[in-house]
Amino acid sequence: MNQILQTPVALAGSAAVFPAEEFRARATALQARLRAEGADALLLTGPENIFWTAGRQTAGYFAFQALIMPAEGEPVLLVRQLEETGARADAWFDTIHTWQDGQDPAAALAALVRAQGIERLAVERSGWFVSPDMMGRIETALSGVSLLDGSGWTEALRAVKSPRELAALRLAAGYAEAGMAAAIEACRAGASENTIAAAMTAAAIEAGSEAMAMEPLVSSGPRSGIPHATWRRRLLEEGDGVFLELAASHDRYHAALMRSVWIGTPPETAQRMMDTALRGLDAALAAMRPGVACSVPHEAAQQVIDAAGFTAAFRKRAGYSMGAAFAPDWGEGAILSLFTGVETPLEPGMVFHLPITLRDYGRFTVGVSETVIVTETGAEPLSSLPRQITLR
C-alpha cells in the first residue's frame, strides 16, 4: 500500500535572509507611511517589495502572490498553495493564506481584505507583475472598497540600504568580480561566446552567487555593438571587441560589473571611446556625495563624453539603484536613476551601478562600470578589478 510521507512544516522564518527584527523595522517604517497617507492597508504584489517586507522569495512568483500590510498589526500573505511551505520558512510572521489551483486568487484576496475590515486599500498601480486582466478582476472583487494609489511607497524606503543589506551587496560584488575575472581570462581568438559565458557564470556561482535576476551579457565583434545582446555561439576572431557584463547575487541582493576586452589591438576610435568612458566614470564617481542630486553624477559624466565628441554614442542614464532583485531586471532602476532631472538627493547607504558605455552601434561597444555605495563623504566602489580595456 502506498503511503504519503508528511513533511514537517518549516518553522516561521527559518529560511529568512535576515533576522525578524530587520523586517519588523521595515514594517514599522512602511506603516508610518500608510497612516500618513490615510490608508488602512497597502497591497504589495511586486516580488521585490514582498521580499523586502516579508522576506518571502521563490522562483514561483509567476503565480499570483500578494502581501497585505495593514496600518496597524502584522502583515498577511497570500500565496499559491504549492508555495505555502516555502512562504512559512521565509516569512517572519504566521498569517499566511493560500489559494488552490483552479480557484480565483482575486476572490481569495478580496475575502482576506473584507475579513480585515479594510475600507481604504492602497495598491501598487505601477507594479510589473499583475496583468491588466488580474487587476480588473481584483477591482471587481473589491467592489465597495476604496482603492488608493500606493505606488512607490515601499520603493522610497528601499532606496537606502541597512547595514545587513550592504553586507549582502558587498558579497555579491565579490562574486561578480570572480565571474568577470574568469570571463576576461577565457577571451581569446577561437573561443566561443558560450565558453566565455560558461566561465563567467561558473566562477560567479562557485564563488557564492545564487540565481541571477538577469542573464549575463557576453557579446563579441559586431554583435557587441548591439545593446543587451547575449551569447550566441559566435567564435571570437582577431580584431574583435568583447563586451562583458553581469550581476551576481547574495540573498537576492545584486551587484553588477562591466568590462571590455579586445582581441588584438583596438582601432584608434575604440581606444579613444574607452578612454572617454574611463574618464566619464571617474567624473561621475567624484561627483557623488550625500546631498548631491542624482542628476549631478550623470551630468558630470555627460560633460566628459560631450567634450570628447561622443554624445551620440551615449544616450542613456549614467546609473541606477541596486539592491534586491528578481527577473527580469537585476537593478532597481525603477526606484532611482542617475539622470538629468532626477533631483532626489544622494544619501549614505544608497547603492548604484554606473555603466558608462560608448557604442558604435552595430560595430562595437566599449565600457566600464562599478557598483558603488554612497558613503558619508563620497562613493565606495565594490570592485578592485582593473578598469582599462584588456588586450588579449
Side-chain angles (χ1 to χ4, degrees), residues 295-364:
S295 59
V296 173
H298 169 82
E299 290 162 359
Q302 189 72 65
Q303 288 174 7
V304 170
I305 294 164
D306 292 346
F310 292 124
T311 302
F314 184 79
R315 295 188 182 278
K316 68 180 193 68
R317 60 189 176 184
Y320 48 84
S321 180
M322 295 291 287
F326 290 74
D329 187 8
W330 67 40
E332 292 180 338
I335 295 181
L336 279 178
S337 290
L338 302 180
F339 193 58
T340 301
V342 182
E343 298 307 312
T344 303
L346 298 178
E347 297 182 49
M350 288 182 173
V351 181
F352 292 91
H353 181 220
L354 286 77
I356 309 300
T357 47
L358 296 180
R359 290 184 171 90
D360 186 337
Y361 290 92
R363 294 188 62 213
F364 64 81

Side-chain angles (χ1 to χ4, degrees), residues 187-272:
C187 290
R188 58 180 56 85
S192 76
E193 293 174 345
N194 286 52
T195 298
I196 298 165
M200 173 187 277
T201 52
I205 292 169
E206 287 173 358
S209 180
E210 299 156 32
M212 302 164 185
M214 190 174 82
E215 65 270 28
L217 304 178
V218 176
S219 57
S220 64
R223 292 189 61 254
S224 72
I226 301 173
H228 296 135
T230 56
W231 63 93
R232 287 187 63 186
R233 299 167 296 279
R234 184 182 182 276
L235 299 181
L236 274 59
E237 302 175 1
E238 190 71 20
D240 280 347
V242 187
F243 178 81
L244 305 170
E245 187 177 13
L246 84 158
S249 74
H250 184 92
D251 288 341
R252 291 288 178 178
Y253 285 84
H254 285 64
L257 194 61
M258 173 198 298
R259 291 293 186 267
S260 297
V261 175
W262 210 277
I263 309 302
T265 302
E268 186 268 343
T269 300
Q271 187 61 62
R272 284 198 301 114

Side-chain angles (χ1 to χ4, degrees), residues 143-203:
S143 176
V145 176
S146 178
L147 299 181
L148 315 177
D149 187 359
S151 301
W153 295 2
T154 311
E155 287 86 346
L157 297 172
R158 287 170 51 198
V160 176
K161 273 59 182 178
S162 71
R164 290 188 180 97
E165 290 176 296
L166 294 178
L169 283 156
R170 290 181 187 279
L171 290 170
Y175 309 154
E177 183 167 328
M180 184 61 70
I184 292 172
E185 180 62 27
C187 290
R188 58 180 56 85
S192 76
E193 293 174 345
N194 286 52
T195 298
I196 298 165
M200 173 187 277
T201 52

Side-chain angles (χ1 to χ4, degrees), residues 13 16-34 41-58 65-78 87 89-96 122 124 150 152-160 162 165 251-253 323-326 332 335:
V17 299
F18 298 131
E21 60 262 26
E22 175 95 7
F23 294 106
R24 288 195 182 96
R26 298 175 183 183
T28 297
L30 188 54
Q31 287 174 322
R33 177 66 185 268
L34 266 66
L42 172 64
L43 176 65
L44 301 178
T45 53
E48 293 90 354
N49 284 345
I50 291 175
F51 170 73
W52 184 85
T53 308
R56 171 64 181 145
Q57 60 170 317
T58 178
Q65 59 176 353
L67 181 76
I68 301 171
M69 172 58 74
E72 304 283 350
E74 289 194 348
V76 175
L77 183 63
L78 175 66
D90 288 337
W92 56 274
F93 50 87
D94 295 326
T95 310
I96 297 173
E124 294 180 302
W153 295 2
T154 311
E155 287 86 346
L157 297 172
R158 287 170 51 198
V160 176
S162 71
E165 290 176 296
D251 288 341
R252 291 288 178 178
Y253 285 84
F326 290 74
E332 292 180 338
I335 295 181

Side-chain angles (χ1 to χ4, degrees), residues 365-377:
T365 296
V366 292
V368 61
S369 82
E370 296 288 352
T371 294
V372 304
I373 297 173
V374 179
T375 67
E376 297 289 343
T377 58

